[in-house]
């Protein structure tokens, strides 16, 4: 089973049998019909596998989740309605009131807010660590009640690369799993499970969908973390679940299935957040070209970063593919075939130059999005971080002149020519 990532992108997950549709069918049905209520009762008790209500499971979603699970090298996976839901489910499946999370400080703003504000209101506390901290600094962040460690392979928007092995070793030394959000790298460029991560999450809204059409998320479990070895920390997985007639997830579903079954049976049941089967079908079609698109995103990202780095009107460039970038060594280790298409840079002419440059672009559109097949550009100081003063912006590493360009899959020369003409107006 050493199938290439390319073939898995195209053919993973759904395996039609003789006479069945070649394309994953869209099961556009909320519910399933059964002959007896005894049969239905067995499904409700998780005593038998089967579909009965789309909030809990749908064959289209399962086929697409299986493809992403194969791409990441995991044992089980689920789709969610958004990346936010995926990260919340991954964290809340093991960390509840009174528990604690260790997280990298360089993460997506929505996830930072989820952990820092919303989960805090649910009684889950957190300690944020610098993604480039030492092992000693990382160890110091753990508490008795720590239940997991969280980070992003390539942070959005800071573009820091996570030292996955270091974070995994620290997590395991403290008896907890490492959760990695692999949205920006995608399994085409990095498979965190191969470096020790236990659970991988995605906002499939980004490169996996790649066409700015559908919001979605995914949670993938490696099936390797031994919950039973730390029973006291993870009673939700290792002790009877009263809401399911006393099922013990690790006993009934093994290490390979316990985490995702619990997330489906409890969190999806109680909180909803299922992806629509129609969206799962769009996502599946997009995944078929993920490997082809990522190569062009990375080619464009690298060419744009190199072009901007030597341009006299550019003050700085952040892209881990540049040898001058502080994340370059980590990128060589974890992302040898490329990172992503997102490049951050700043202007000698400051905020005003950034604004002029952006309005002069013709290929890259101004949009609050990244990882789209069409190039797009965002000025955080004027949009997502608009409420902050220049001093506050500097403090969180977003200078007023910073522009984030998400290189699409257009022709490289066209993108460079567009940047060059826009820079002339500055
Ligand atoms: C966008 C994003 C999310 C949130 O995903 P949504 O699909 O927008 O809910 C989470 N993590 C990362 C790294 C992201 O870029």
């Amino acid at each position: 089973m050493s199938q290439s990532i390319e073939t898995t992108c195209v053919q993973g997950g759904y395996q039609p049998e003789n006479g069945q549709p070649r394309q994953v069918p869209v099961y556009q049905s909320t519910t399933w019909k059964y002959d007896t209520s005894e049969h239905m009762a067995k499904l409700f008790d998780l005593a038998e596998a089967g579909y009965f209500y789309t909030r809990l499971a749908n064959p289209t979603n399962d086929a697409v989740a299986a493809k992403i699970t194969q791409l990441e090298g995991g044992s089980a996976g689920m789709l969610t309605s958004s990346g936010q839901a995926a990260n919340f489910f991954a964290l809340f499946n093991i960390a509840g009131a009174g528990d604690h999370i260790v997280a990298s400080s360089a993460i997506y703003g929505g996830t930072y807010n989820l952990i820092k504000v919303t989960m805090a209101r649910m009684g889950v506390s957190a300690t944020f660590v610098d993604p480039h901290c030492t092992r000693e600094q990382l160890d110091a962040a753990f508490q008795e009640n720590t239940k997991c460690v969280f980070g992003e392979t390539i942070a959005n928007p800071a573009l820091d690369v996570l030292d996955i092995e270091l974070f995994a070793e620290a997590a395991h030394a403290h008896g907890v799993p490492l959760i990695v959000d692999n949205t920006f790298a995608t399994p085409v460029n990095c498979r965190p499970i191969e470096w020790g991560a236990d659970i991988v999450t995605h906002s499939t809204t980004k490169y996996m969908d790649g066409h700015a059409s559908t919001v979605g998320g995914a949670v993938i479990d490696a099936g390797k973390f031994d919950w039973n070895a730390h029973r006291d920390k993870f009673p939700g997985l290792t002790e009877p679940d009263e809401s399911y007639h006393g099922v013990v997830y690790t006993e009934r579903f093994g290490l390979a299935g316990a985490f995702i079954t619990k997330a489906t049976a409890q969190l999806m049941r109680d909180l909803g957040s299922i992806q629509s089967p129609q969206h799962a079908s769009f996502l599946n079609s997009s995944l078929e070209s993920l490997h082809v698109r990522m190569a062009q995103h990375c080619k464009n990202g690298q060419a744009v970063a190199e072009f901007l780095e030597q341009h006299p009107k550019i003050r700085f460039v952040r892209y881990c593919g540049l040898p001058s970038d502080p994340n370059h060594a980590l990128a060589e280790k974890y992302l040898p075939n490329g990172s992503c298409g997102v490049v951050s840079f700043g202007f000698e002419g400051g905020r005003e130059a950034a604004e002029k440059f952006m309005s002069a672009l013709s290929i890259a559109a101004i949009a609050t999005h990244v990882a789209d097949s069409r190039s797009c550009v965002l000025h955080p100081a004027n949009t997502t971080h608009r409420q902050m003063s220049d001093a506050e912006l500097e403090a969180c590493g977003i200078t007023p002149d910073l522009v984030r360009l998400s290189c699409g899959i257009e022709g490289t020369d066209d993108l460079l020519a567009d940047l060059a003409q826009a820079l002339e107006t500055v």
Side-chain angles (χ1 to χ4, degrees):
M1 255 304 286
S2 63
Q3 178 175 284
S4 71
I5 200 95
E6 291 86 352
T7 304
T8 305
C9 280
V10 181
Q11 297 213 6
Y14 174 64
Q15 300 293 325
E17 284 166 20
N18 190 39
Q20 286 191 335
R22 187 71 176 113
Q23 171 66 289
V24 182
V26 182
Y27 285 81
Q28 194 64 53
S29 182
T30 58
T31 192
W32 275 258
K33 172 223 173 236
Y34 287 95
D35 287 339
T36 66
S37 57
E38 287 97 292
H39 192 167
M40 183 78 100
K42 282 188 190 141
L43 301 178
F44 265 87
D45 281 354
L46 305 178
E48 216 176 89
Y51 297 98
F52 54 98
Y53 190 56
T54 284
R55 169 151 44 77
L56 287 152
N58 175 289
T60 310
N61 291 32
D62 281 0
V64 182
K67 175 179 281 189
I68 302 174
T69 302
Q70 267 172 271
L71 287 170
E72 288 289 3
S75 68
M78 71 196 293
L79 299 187
T80 56
S81 54
S82 67
Q84 284 300 112
N87 281 325
F88 176 63
F89 276 29
L91 295 164
F92 198 63
N93 206 30
I94 43 179
D99 293 337
H100 173 257
I101 294 168
V102 173
S104 162
S105 59
I107 53 175
Y108 177 65
T111 315
Y112 184 82
N113 201 65
L114 166 70
I115 296 173
K116 171 102 187 169
V117 180
T118 300
M119 290 190 73
R121 284 171 51 205
M122 297 170 152
V124 183
S125 60
T127 301
F128 291 94
V129 294
D130 188 305
H132 299 309
C133 65
T134 63
R135 174 65 193 269
E136 289 68 33
Q137 290 167 326
L138 191 48
D139 282 337
F142 285 83
Q143 303 178 3
E144 271 300 292
N145 56 346
T146 302
K147 294 297 163 77
C148 60
V149 179
F150 181 88
E152 292 178 6
T153 312
I154 305 170
N156 174 14
L159 302 179
D160 287 298
V161 178
L162 189 73
D163 191 341
I164 302 173
E165 267 188 325
L166 177 82
F167 274 65
E169 280 165 18
H172 297 160
H174 293 271
V176 301
L178 172 65
I179 303 173
V180 173
D181 181 333
N182 198 31
T183 296
F184 266 27
T186 83
V188 170
N189 285 336
C190 180
R191 286 175 296 284
I193 289 171
E194 291 175 2
W195 297 104
D198 301 285
I199 291 137
V200 174
T201 58
H202 282 280
S203 164
T204 61
T205 318
K206 312 296 164 56
Y207 288 115
M208 284 193 167
D209 168 79
H211 300 79
S213 68
T214 37
V215 173
V219 183
I220 309 299
D221 177 25
K224 290 190 303 194
F225 190 81
D226 190 355
W227 310 106
N228 290 318
H230 309 281
R231 295 184 80 91
D232 52 322
K233 277 194 202 293
F234 305 106
L237 284 150
T238 60
E239 283 173 19
D241 176 3
E242 293 318 324
S243 75
Y244 268 110
H245 308 300
V247 62
V248 176
Y249 291 101
T250 46
E251 273 174 21
R252 178 85 67 80
F253 304 99
L255 295 184
F259 186 85
I260 294 295
T261 307
K262 177 179 182 287
T264 303
Q266 294 178 343
L267 301 183
M268 203 56 96
R269 177 195 62 186
D270 295 352
L271 301 170
S273 320
I274 193 69
Q275 186 164 138
S276 98
Q278 190 65 250
H279 285 182
S281 149
F282 290 154
L283 174 58
N284 191 57
S285 295
S286 292
L287 286 168
E288 290 177 14
S289 64
L290 181 65
H291 55 300
V292 184
R293 291 185 286 110
M294 284 314 286
Q296 184 70 9
H297 281 296
C298 292
K299 178 180 174 225
N300 283 345
Q302 187 70 33
V304 161
E306 286 171 9
F307 168 78
L308 292 172
E309 190 178 40
Q310 52 74 44
H311 200 285
K313 290 181 181 171
I314 296 298
R315 190 168 68 84
F316 70 91
V317 181
R318 284 295 303 273
Y319 188 71
C320 65
L322 291 176
S324 60
D325 191 88
N327 289 279
H328 188 65
L330 286 168
E332 282 193 308
K333 175 174 176 178
Y334 294 107
L335 303 154
N337 301 320
S339 55
C340 65
V342 185
V343 184
S344 295
F345 49 98
F347 291 79
E348 291 293 353
R351 180 196 278 259
E352 207 184 307
E355 283 168 14
K356 253 197 178 147
F357 166 83
M358 285 182 58
S359 51
L361 288 168
S362 72
I363 290 183
I366 297 171
T368 309
H369 194 47
V370 280
D372 180 6
S373 60
R374 288 147 293 210
S375 293
C376 51
V377 69
L378 181 77
H379 185 201
N382 243 344
T383 53
T384 49
H385 295 68
R386 194 175 169 71
Q387 68 286 0
M388 294 185 180
S389 68
D390 284 5
E392 284 172 324
L393 284 170
E394 298 275 1
C396 70
I398 295 168
T399 53
D401 63 335
L402 184 134
V403 164
R404 186 186 70 183
L405 172 64
S406 170
C407 299
I409 57 175
E410 301 93 344
T412 311
D413 291 344
D414 296 339
L415 259 185
L416 294 179
D418 191 26
L419 297 182
Q421 67 78 22
L423 277 163
E424 265 172 37
T425 69
V426 170

